[in-house]
Amino acid sequence: MIAAKKQLKADINQLVVYTSTQAHFSIEKAAIVAEIKRENFHLIKVDADYRMCPELLQQQIVTDIKFGLIPFYIAATVGILTYSSQKSISRASKLFLPLSLWGFIF
């Protein structure tokens, strides 16, 4: 996350991090270390299989861009071990690439 922040060289107050409500607490701690404002750390709901909902993520990204914020990092969850799938990873990565976002999928 710090590497992504340094590469972007944007106003730290505008950078936004996204992860799921089921993400490991280390993601939030990384955002704190990277000096991301708490209000710019967004938790995205998950589906019944604990996968981050791409539609909700996309809605939040669009909203943030409208408010002049800069989406720069997604820590996506693709479900727990017994539920994760390649399809989930593919859906999540489709949001990373067009916006040149840094991503971490777990």
Side-chain angles (χ1 to χ4, degrees):
M1 192 177 302
I2 292 172
K5 179 184 91 168
K6 286 185 178 186
Q7 183 181 10
L8 197 54
K9 298 179 183 172
D11 179 358
I12 187 73
N13 295 312
Q14 293 180 299
L15 298 180
V16 184
V17 172
Y18 307 88
T19 195
S20 81
T21 56
Q22 298 299 308
H24 192 270
F25 71 92
S26 62
I27 302 300
E28 185 172 6
K29 288 193 181 252
I32 291 167
V33 170
E35 301 176 326
I36 302 303
K37 292 170 58 175
R38 179 62 187 108
E39 59 266 25
N40 289 355
F41 183 81
H42 295 301
L43 296 173
I44 307 299
K45 291 182 181 179
V46 297
D47 64 16
D49 293 327
Y50 302 102
R51 297 176 296 212
M52 181 189 286
C53 297
E55 298 81 15
L56 296 176
L57 174 61
Q58 187 168 17
Q59 288 173 6
Q60 186 64 58
I61 289 172
V62 168
T63 299
D64 290 340
I65 291 171
K66 285 181 183 177
F67 283 104
L69 298 173
I70 303 168
F72 91 106
Y73 193 91
I74 300 172
T77 53
V78 293
I80 59 175
L81 185 59
T82 56
Y83 290 108
S84 62
S85 70
Q86 183 66 34
K87 183 178 178 183
S88 298
I89 294 170
S90 177
R91 289 174 66 198
S93 67
K94 286 179 183 176
L95 293 171
F96 293 28
L97 300 176
L99 296 171
S100 299
L101 297 172
W102 280 61
F104 175 74
I105 299 175
F106 62 101

